[in-house]
Protein backbone atom coordinates (compact mmCIF):
# COMPACT_ATOMS: atom_id res chain seq x y z
CA UNK A 1 0.00 0.00 0.00
CA UNK A 2 2.85 2.38 0.92
CA UNK A 3 4.58 1.50 -2.34
CA UNK A 4 1.43 2.40 -4.29
CA UNK A 5 1.15 5.75 -2.49
CA UNK A 6 4.86 6.43 -3.18
CA UNK A 7 4.45 5.76 -6.93
CA UNK A 8 1.36 8.02 -7.04
CA UNK A 9 3.22 10.83 -5.27
CA UNK A 10 6.12 10.46 -7.72
CA UNK A 11 3.77 10.72 -10.68
CA UNK A 12 2.10 13.81 -9.21
CA UNK A 13 5.49 15.37 -8.52
CA UNK A 14 6.60 14.67 -12.12
CA UNK A 15 3.47 16.32 -13.46
CA UNK A 16 4.00 19.36 -11.22
CA UNK A 17 7.64 19.58 -12.31
CA UNK A 18 6.62 19.30 -15.95
CA UNK A 19 4.17 22.20 -15.59
CA UNK A 20 6.66 24.26 -13.62
CA UNK A 21 9.41 23.66 -16.19
CA UNK A 22 7.25 24.32 -19.25
CA UNK A 23 9.29 26.38 -21.71
CA UNK A 24 6.27 28.24 -23.00
CA UNK A 25 3.33 28.38 -20.56
CA UNK A 26 1.66 31.30 -22.36
CA UNK A 27 1.92 29.52 -25.71
CA UNK A 28 0.49 26.37 -24.13
CA UNK A 29 -2.41 28.39 -22.73
CA UNK A 30 -3.05 29.96 -26.14
CA UNK A 31 -3.02 26.49 -27.68
CA UNK A 32 -5.55 25.28 -25.10
CA UNK A 33 -7.86 28.21 -25.85
CA UNK A 34 -7.46 27.59 -29.57
CA UNK A 35 -8.47 23.95 -29.08
CA UNK A 36 -11.59 25.27 -27.36
CA UNK A 37 -12.25 27.40 -30.48
CA UNK A 38 -11.82 30.61 -28.50
CA UNK A 39 -9.79 32.38 -31.16
CA UNK A 40 -10.10 35.84 -29.66
CA UNK A 41 -8.71 34.79 -26.28
CA UNK A 42 -6.06 32.62 -27.91
CA UNK A 43 -4.93 35.61 -29.98
CA UNK A 44 -4.72 37.80 -26.89
CA UNK A 45 -2.63 35.27 -24.93
CA UNK A 46 -0.28 34.44 -27.80
CA UNK A 47 0.44 38.16 -28.22
CA UNK A 48 1.65 38.18 -24.62
CA UNK A 49 3.83 35.17 -25.41
CA UNK A 50 5.39 37.02 -28.37
CA UNK A 51 6.35 39.83 -25.98
CA UNK A 52 7.59 37.51 -23.23
CA UNK A 53 11.42 37.45 -22.93
CA UNK A 54 11.48 33.67 -22.48
CA UNK A 55 8.91 32.63 -25.08
CA UNK A 56 9.53 35.03 -27.95
CA UNK A 57 12.74 33.22 -28.91
CA UNK A 58 10.95 29.90 -29.40
CA UNK A 59 9.96 29.03 -32.97
CA UNK A 60 6.99 27.09 -31.63
CA UNK A 61 5.50 30.27 -30.14
CA UNK A 62 5.66 31.98 -33.52
CA UNK A 63 4.19 28.91 -35.22
CA UNK A 64 1.21 28.87 -32.82
CA UNK A 65 0.74 32.62 -33.33
CA UNK A 66 0.81 32.16 -37.10
CA UNK A 67 -1.56 29.23 -36.98
CA UNK A 68 -4.07 31.19 -34.87
CA UNK A 69 -3.95 34.06 -37.37
CA UNK A 70 -4.40 31.57 -40.24
CA UNK A 71 -7.55 30.24 -38.58
CA UNK A 72 -8.85 33.78 -38.01
CA UNK A 73 -8.37 34.41 -41.72
CA UNK A 74 -10.02 31.09 -42.58
CA UNK A 75 -12.98 31.80 -40.29
CA UNK A 76 -13.59 35.48 -41.00
CA UNK A 77 -11.64 36.90 -43.93
CA UNK A 78 -11.46 34.44 -46.83
CA UNK A 79 -13.42 36.85 -49.01
CA UNK A 80 -11.03 39.68 -48.26
CA UNK A 81 -8.11 39.84 -50.72
CA UNK A 82 -6.35 42.33 -48.44
CA UNK A 83 -6.97 40.29 -45.28
CA UNK A 84 -4.86 41.64 -42.37
CA UNK A 85 -5.08 38.24 -40.64
CA UNK A 86 -3.62 36.43 -43.65
CA UNK A 87 -0.80 38.92 -44.00
CA UNK A 88 0.00 38.66 -40.30
CA UNK A 89 -0.17 34.86 -40.38
CA UNK A 90 2.43 34.77 -43.15
CA UNK A 91 4.72 37.13 -41.22
CA UNK A 92 4.51 35.07 -38.01
CA UNK A 93 5.05 31.76 -39.78
CA UNK A 94 8.03 33.16 -41.66
CA UNK A 95 9.52 34.15 -38.32
CA UNK A 96 8.90 30.64 -36.99
CA UNK A 97 10.74 29.14 -39.96
CA UNK A 98 13.64 31.56 -39.45
CA UNK A 99 13.96 30.69 -35.73
CA UNK A 100 13.53 26.95 -36.21
CA UNK A 101 17.22 26.08 -36.59
CA UNK A 102 16.59 22.52 -35.37
CA UNK A 103 13.67 22.17 -37.81
CA UNK A 104 11.43 20.89 -35.02
CA UNK A 105 8.24 22.55 -36.30
CA UNK A 106 9.22 23.16 -39.92
CA UNK A 107 6.70 20.77 -41.46
CA UNK A 108 3.80 22.34 -39.55
CA UNK A 109 4.93 25.85 -40.49
CA UNK A 110 5.35 24.88 -44.14
CA UNK A 111 1.92 23.28 -44.21
CA UNK A 112 0.28 26.43 -42.86
CA UNK A 113 2.28 28.63 -45.24
CA UNK A 114 1.30 26.44 -48.20
CA UNK A 115 -2.38 26.89 -47.35
CA UNK A 116 -1.94 30.67 -47.26
CA UNK A 117 0.12 30.69 -50.46
CA UNK A 118 -2.57 28.79 -52.35
CA UNK A 119 -5.17 31.25 -51.07
CA UNK A 120 -3.17 34.08 -52.68
CA UNK A 121 -2.97 32.10 -55.93
CA UNK A 122 -6.71 31.46 -55.95
CA UNK A 123 -7.44 35.10 -55.19
CA UNK A 124 -5.23 36.09 -58.11
CA UNK A 125 -7.15 33.85 -60.49
CA UNK A 126 -10.49 35.07 -59.14
CA UNK A 127 -9.43 38.69 -59.54
CA UNK A 128 -8.70 38.15 -63.25
CA UNK A 129 -12.41 37.46 -63.75
CA UNK A 130 -13.30 40.85 -62.26
CA UNK A 131 -10.54 42.87 -63.88
CA UNK A 132 -10.87 46.54 -64.77
CA UNK A 133 -8.30 49.09 -65.88
CA UNK A 134 -8.05 50.27 -62.29
CA UNK A 135 -7.47 46.76 -60.88
CA UNK A 136 -5.38 45.36 -63.74
CA UNK A 137 -2.27 44.95 -61.58
CA UNK A 138 -3.94 43.22 -58.62
CA UNK A 139 -3.96 39.63 -59.93
CA UNK A 140 -0.21 39.65 -60.52
CA UNK A 141 0.43 41.29 -57.15
CA UNK A 142 -1.45 38.45 -55.45
CA UNK A 143 0.37 35.92 -57.61
CA UNK A 144 3.74 37.46 -56.73
CA UNK A 145 2.98 36.91 -53.04
CA UNK A 146 2.06 33.29 -53.80
CA UNK A 147 5.45 32.77 -55.47
CA UNK A 148 7.32 34.48 -52.63
CA UNK A 149 5.73 32.29 -49.96
CA UNK A 150 6.22 29.11 -51.97
CA UNK A 151 9.93 29.91 -52.25
CA UNK A 152 10.12 30.05 -48.44
CA UNK A 153 8.75 26.51 -48.38
CA UNK A 154 10.93 25.30 -51.27
CA UNK A 155 13.37 27.64 -53.03
CA UNK A 156 13.39 25.23 -56.00
CA UNK A 157 9.63 25.30 -56.59
CA UNK A 158 8.77 24.86 -60.29
CA UNK A 159 6.23 27.56 -61.16
CA UNK A 160 5.73 26.62 -64.83
CA UNK A 161 2.18 25.30 -64.51
CA UNK A 162 1.18 28.09 -62.12
CA UNK A 163 2.66 30.70 -64.48
CA UNK A 164 0.71 29.26 -67.39
CA UNK A 165 -2.55 29.40 -65.46
CA UNK A 166 -2.15 33.01 -64.34
CA UNK A 167 -0.84 34.22 -67.71
CA UNK A 168 -3.72 32.61 -69.59
CA UNK A 169 -6.22 34.05 -67.12
CA UNK A 170 -4.64 37.50 -67.45
CA UNK A 171 -4.64 37.25 -71.25
CA UNK A 172 -8.30 36.27 -71.30
CA UNK A 173 -9.11 39.11 -68.87
CA UNK A 174 -7.48 41.71 -71.13
CA UNK A 175 -9.18 40.17 -74.15
CA UNK A 176 -12.55 40.68 -72.44
CA UNK A 177 -11.55 44.29 -71.79
CA UNK A 178 -10.80 44.69 -75.51
CA UNK A 179 -14.13 43.04 -76.42
CA UNK A 180 -15.91 45.56 -74.22
CA UNK A 181 -14.09 48.43 -75.93
CA UNK A 182 -12.68 47.37 -79.29
CA UNK A 183 -10.87 50.70 -79.62
CA UNK A 184 -8.72 49.78 -76.61
CA UNK A 185 -5.64 48.63 -78.53
CA UNK A 186 -3.61 48.55 -75.31
CA UNK A 187 -5.87 45.84 -73.85
CA UNK A 188 -5.49 43.71 -77.00
CA UNK A 189 -1.72 44.19 -76.93
CA UNK A 190 -1.61 43.17 -73.27
CA UNK A 191 -3.70 40.06 -74.00
CA UNK A 192 -1.26 39.12 -76.76
CA UNK A 193 1.68 39.66 -74.39
CA UNK A 194 0.27 37.28 -71.77
CA UNK A 195 -0.56 34.55 -74.29
CA UNK A 196 2.96 34.84 -75.69
CA UNK A 197 4.34 34.37 -72.16
CA UNK A 198 2.49 31.06 -72.00
CA UNK A 199 4.05 29.94 -75.28
CA UNK A 200 7.52 30.79 -73.97
CA UNK A 201 6.90 28.22 -71.24
CA UNK A 202 5.14 25.72 -73.50
CA UNK A 203 5.06 26.46 -77.22
CA UNK A 204 2.42 23.77 -77.75
CA UNK A 205 -0.08 24.97 -75.16
CA UNK A 206 -3.33 24.46 -77.06
CA UNK A 207 -5.38 26.96 -75.08
CA UNK A 208 -2.87 29.77 -75.58
CA UNK A 209 -2.50 28.97 -79.28
CA UNK A 210 -6.24 29.09 -79.82
CA UNK A 211 -6.56 32.24 -77.70
CA UNK A 212 -4.11 33.91 -80.10
CA UNK A 213 -6.17 32.70 -83.06
CA UNK A 214 -9.30 34.30 -81.59
CA UNK A 215 -7.51 37.49 -80.51
CA UNK A 216 -5.90 38.19 -83.89
CA UNK A 217 -8.80 37.00 -86.04
CA UNK A 218 -11.34 39.10 -84.15
CA UNK A 219 -9.14 42.17 -84.35
CA UNK A 220 -9.14 41.68 -88.11
CA UNK A 221 -12.92 41.27 -88.12
CA UNK A 222 -13.24 44.46 -86.06
CA UNK A 223 -11.22 46.37 -88.67
CA UNK A 224 -13.49 45.11 -91.45
CA UNK A 225 -16.66 45.93 -89.52
CA UNK A 226 -15.37 49.43 -88.83
CA UNK A 227 -15.66 50.15 -92.56
CA UNK A 228 -19.00 51.72 -93.41
CA UNK A 229 -20.52 54.20 -95.86
CA UNK A 230 -18.95 57.08 -93.97
CA UNK A 231 -15.41 55.69 -94.18
CA UNK A 232 -13.16 58.02 -96.12
CA UNK A 233 -11.61 56.46 -99.23
CA UNK A 234 -8.16 57.40 -97.93
CA UNK A 235 -8.79 55.27 -94.81
CA UNK A 236 -10.37 52.33 -96.60
CA UNK A 237 -7.26 50.64 -97.98
CA UNK A 238 -5.20 51.01 -94.75
CA UNK A 239 -8.09 49.50 -92.75
CA UNK A 240 -8.34 46.56 -95.15
CA UNK A 241 -4.58 46.03 -95.03
CA UNK A 242 -4.65 46.16 -91.25
CA UNK A 243 -7.39 43.50 -91.18
CA UNK A 244 -5.37 41.26 -93.50
CA UNK A 245 -2.32 41.64 -91.25
CA UNK A 246 -4.34 40.39 -88.29
CA UNK A 247 -5.70 37.45 -90.31
CA UNK A 248 -2.15 36.58 -91.36
CA UNK A 249 -1.06 36.73 -87.73
CA UNK A 250 -3.89 34.38 -86.70
CA UNK A 251 -3.28 31.77 -89.42
CA UNK A 252 0.03 30.24 -88.15
CA UNK A 253 -1.43 29.80 -84.66
CA UNK A 254 -4.54 28.20 -86.15
CA UNK A 255 -2.40 25.81 -88.24
CA UNK A 256 -0.22 24.84 -85.28
CA UNK A 257 -3.23 24.38 -83.01
CA UNK A 258 -4.96 22.22 -85.64
CA UNK A 259 -1.86 20.13 -86.33
CA UNK A 260 -0.59 19.54 -82.78
CA UNK A 261 -3.65 19.57 -80.55
CA UNK A 262 -6.46 17.02 -80.10
CA UNK A 263 -9.12 17.52 -82.76
CA UNK A 264 -11.91 19.87 -81.72
CA UNK A 265 -14.71 21.57 -83.63
CA UNK A 266 -13.37 24.95 -82.46
CA UNK A 267 -9.93 24.24 -83.92
CA UNK A 268 -11.45 23.26 -87.27
CA UNK A 269 -13.48 26.46 -87.35
CA UNK A 270 -10.52 28.59 -86.36
CA UNK A 271 -8.43 27.30 -89.26
CA UNK A 272 -11.39 27.38 -91.67
CA UNK A 273 -12.24 31.03 -91.09
CA UNK A 274 -8.62 32.19 -91.03
CA UNK A 275 -8.22 30.69 -94.51
CA UNK A 276 -11.49 32.13 -95.76
CA UNK A 277 -10.64 35.60 -94.48
CA UNK A 278 -7.46 35.47 -96.58
CA UNK A 279 -9.32 34.37 -99.71
CA UNK A 280 -8.24 30.72 -99.53
CA UNK A 281 -11.68 29.39 -100.36
CA UNK A 282 -10.52 25.99 -101.57
CA UNK A 283 -8.78 25.24 -98.28
CA UNK A 284 -11.81 26.53 -96.41
CA UNK A 285 -14.13 24.11 -98.25
CA UNK A 286 -11.70 21.24 -97.75
CA UNK A 287 -11.67 21.85 -93.99
CA UNK A 288 -15.44 22.28 -93.96
CA UNK A 289 -15.89 18.81 -95.47
CA UNK A 290 -13.42 17.35 -92.96
CA UNK A 291 -15.32 19.00 -90.13
CA UNK A 292 -18.62 17.52 -91.28
CA UNK A 293 -17.05 14.05 -91.33
CA UNK A 294 -15.49 14.65 -87.90
CA UNK A 295 -18.86 15.69 -86.44
CA UNK A 296 -20.46 12.51 -87.83
CA UNK A 297 -17.79 10.32 -86.22
CA UNK A 298 -18.35 12.09 -82.89
CA UNK A 299 -22.04 11.18 -82.98
CA UNK A 300 -21.35 7.45 -83.33
Amino acid sequence: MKKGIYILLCLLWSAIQSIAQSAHPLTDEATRLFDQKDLKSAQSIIQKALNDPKEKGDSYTWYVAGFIQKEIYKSNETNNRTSPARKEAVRLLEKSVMLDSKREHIEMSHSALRYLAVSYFNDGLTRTREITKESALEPEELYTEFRRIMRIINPSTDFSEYDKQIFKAMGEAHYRMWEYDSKDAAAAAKANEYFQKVLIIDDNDCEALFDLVILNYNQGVYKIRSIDLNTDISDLIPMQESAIRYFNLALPYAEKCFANCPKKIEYYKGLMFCNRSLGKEERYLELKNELEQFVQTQKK
Side-chain angles (χ1 to χ4, degrees), residues 66 76 83 126 214 259:
N76 306 320
S83 164
T126 299
I214 294 171

Side-chain angles (χ1 to χ4, degrees), residues 143-260:
Y143 182 62
T144 297
E145 183 64 1
F146 160 76
R147 287 178 62 111
R148 189 188 72 79
I149 298 169
M150 290 299 289
R151 283 202 175 100
I152 294 169
I153 299 166
N154 178 8
S156 302
T157 300
D158 180 1
F159 291 103
S160 298
E161 291 302 314
Y162 299 113
D163 285 349
K164 284 167 60 176
Q165 284 187 65
I166 199 74
F167 292 154
K168 278 188 273 192
M170 287 295 287
E172 289 161 6
H174 281 86
Y175 175 74
R176 289 192 298 272
M177 289 172 66
W178 174 79
E179 271 193 315
Y180 180 75
D181 178 7
S182 297
K183 293 180 181 179
D184 188 356
K190 203 68 179 174
N192 179 72
E193 179 185 324
Y194 279 113
F195 295 141
Q196 296 293 349
K197 284 183 177 183
V198 177
L199 295 185
I200 290 170
I201 300 168
D202 178 3
D203 62 359
N204 276 318
D205 187 285
C206 297
E207 290 179 353
L209 286 168
F210 194 62
D211 283 335
L212 284 163
V213 175
I214 294 171
L215 173 64
N216 286 294
Y217 178 81
N218 283 348
Q219 286 182 93
V221 170
Y222 168 71
K223 291 293 183 182
I224 296 295
R225 289 179 177 172
S226 297
I227 299 170
D228 58 28
L229 294 173
N230 297 317
T231 302
D232 191 276
I233 191 68
S234 62
D235 296 326
L236 181 60
I237 292 176
M239 291 173 75
Q240 290 175 328
E241 289 176 344
S242 179
I244 291 169
R245 278 198 300 274
Y246 280 118
F247 295 144
N248 274 313
L249 284 171
L251 182 60
Y253 296 118
E255 288 174 335
K256 188 169 185 177
C257 189
F258 185 77
N260 297 347

Side-chain angles (χ1 to χ4, degrees), residues 81-93:
R81 285 187 300 275
T82 60
S83 164
R86 176 168 64 178
K87 186 175 181 179
E88 180 66 358
V90 171
R91 184 186 75 82
L92 294 166
L93 290 163

